[in-house]
Amino acid sequence: MKLKELESELQPLKGFETPKRELEQYVTNPHLASRLLFSAESSFGDLDDKRVLDLGCGCGVLSIGAVMLGAASVLSVDVDSAALAIARENIASVEMEDEIELVHARIGTLKEPTARAVKDAALAAAAAAEEEGEKEEEEDVPVFDPKALGGREFDTVVMNPPFGTWNQGIDMVFLEVACQVAETAVYSLHKTSTREFILKKAKTLGFEGEVLAEMKYALPKTMAFHKAKSVDIQVDFFRFVRVAPRAAAAAV
């Protein structure tokens, strides 16, 4: 499949109906998604016939694109049940129910939520309650535990994690989990401003990071606090490749 064809196939997929600010829910648009996935396969062969894990899958764009490029199976994990419902609909629309499995779970946990994160979560909950006319109790979502998968392994991890704007440090939590489970490589997007820190962090996890491209992530006006119609954020498209055995990486 050619790059333009992949981007075109991803275009009809549905995005978030009501994005949650505290989860930094921004759809991985077809332009970015297609380039991330196409590079992973065409340059490194990390998707075709591979076992793929999509962390923070959202509406399933990366998962679906991975299968389009030949992934043998994809496990797609997200904390938000509403996002998973949309992902399930998208997956059904392309008849990939046999290749993609959805899991409702949280990607790791921060040791201590920042004051900003706590305040933001409270404001978001209050706004949702006011809009719906009632306040629902927050669902107790389990933390994603790879050990509970019965020895299931993954060759490649793909993800577009939260940047940590509203929940500081969550981007590193995603990277840590990805590096714990990836046998070969991790593909991810991160703010360019965090590049050096991320490269150093990857080394402590037994991975060597490489910036494959510096890209513009156009964030559309999808939330109430957004003032501009769109904001461009400079992001790095990373490939992290395992260079140390798991045991050695864990001991660092």
Side-chain angles (χ1 to χ4, degrees):
M1 178 178 284
K2 295 182 179 180
L3 176 59
K4 288 185 177 179
E5 183 182 358
L6 176 61
E7 182 174 352
S8 178
E9 290 291 331
L10 296 177
Q11 286 286 354
L13 300 178
K14 293 184 178 180
F16 298 106
E17 293 180 355
T18 308
K20 295 179 174 63
R21 181 173 66 174
E22 68 274 18
L23 296 179
E24 298 186 46
Q25 287 182 329
Y26 300 103
V27 172
T28 307
N29 65 60
H31 178 80
L32 278 179
S34 60
R35 278 146 184 81
L36 185 155
L37 295 167
F38 190 81
S39 295
E41 177 52 32
S42 64
S43 299
F44 304 100
D46 282 332
L47 292 179
D48 187 35
D49 202 31
K50 297 297 191 294
R51 303 158 298 180
V52 177
L53 175 64
D54 183 357
L55 292 176
C57 67
C59 301
V61 176
L62 289 177
S63 298
I64 291 170
V67 175
M68 288 179 174
L69 290 177
S73 64
V74 181
L75 186 69
S76 309
V77 186
D78 203 277
V79 66
D80 185 26
S81 58
L84 289 174
I86 298 171
R88 187 172 292 106
E89 186 176 346
N90 282 334
I91 292 166
S93 73
V94 290
E95 300 181 348
M96 291 182 179
E97 295 94 334
D98 291 340
E99 291 84 7
I100 302 175
E101 178 184 351
L102 298 175
V103 173
H104 188 202
R106 191 180 304 277
I107 309 302
T109 55
L110 289 174
K111 293 181 179 179
E112 293 184 8
T114 62
R116 183 177 187 178
V118 172
K119 181 179 179 181
D120 182 69
L123 289 173
E130 181 178 352
E131 181 178 344
E132 298 174 9
E134 60 181 12
K135 186 175 181 179
E136 298 181 357
E137 293 185 2
E138 184 180 352
E139 188 174 0
D140 185 16
V141 181
V143 175
F144 175 62
D145 182 10
K147 295 179 181 178
L149 298 176
R152 185 170 178 177
E153 296 180 339
F154 303 96
D155 303 295
T156 306
V157 175
V158 296
M159 61 182 187
N160 179 15
F163 292 143
T165 303
W166 297 103
N167 200 355
Q168 189 175 356
I170 192 63
D171 51 339
M172 292 299 99
V173 172
F174 269 71
L175 182 59
E176 289 172 0
V177 174
C179 291
Q180 286 172 13
V181 299
E183 292 288 339
T184 304
V186 175
Y187 291 86
S188 185
L189 298 173
H190 296 272
K191 277 187 175 181
T192 299
S193 60
T194 63
R195 179 184 298 175
E196 295 307 316
F197 179 76
I198 288 175
L199 288 171
K200 290 179 181 178
K201 180 67 173 179
K203 286 186 177 181
T204 69
L205 300 171
F207 279 73
E208 190 70 34
E210 177 185 2
V211 177
L212 299 182
E214 186 174 327
M215 311 169 78
K216 285 186 178 180
Y217 196 154
L219 298 183
K221 179 179 172 59
T222 55
M223 301 190 190
F225 68 92
H226 286 166
K227 295 181 179 180
K229 290 184 178 180
S230 178
V231 176
D232 288 340
I233 295 180
Q234 292 297 124
V235 299
D236 286 341
F237 167 31
F238 278 98
R239 179 180 189 251
F240 302 96
V241 60
R242 182 176 289 283
V243 294
R246 290 185 181 222
V252 174

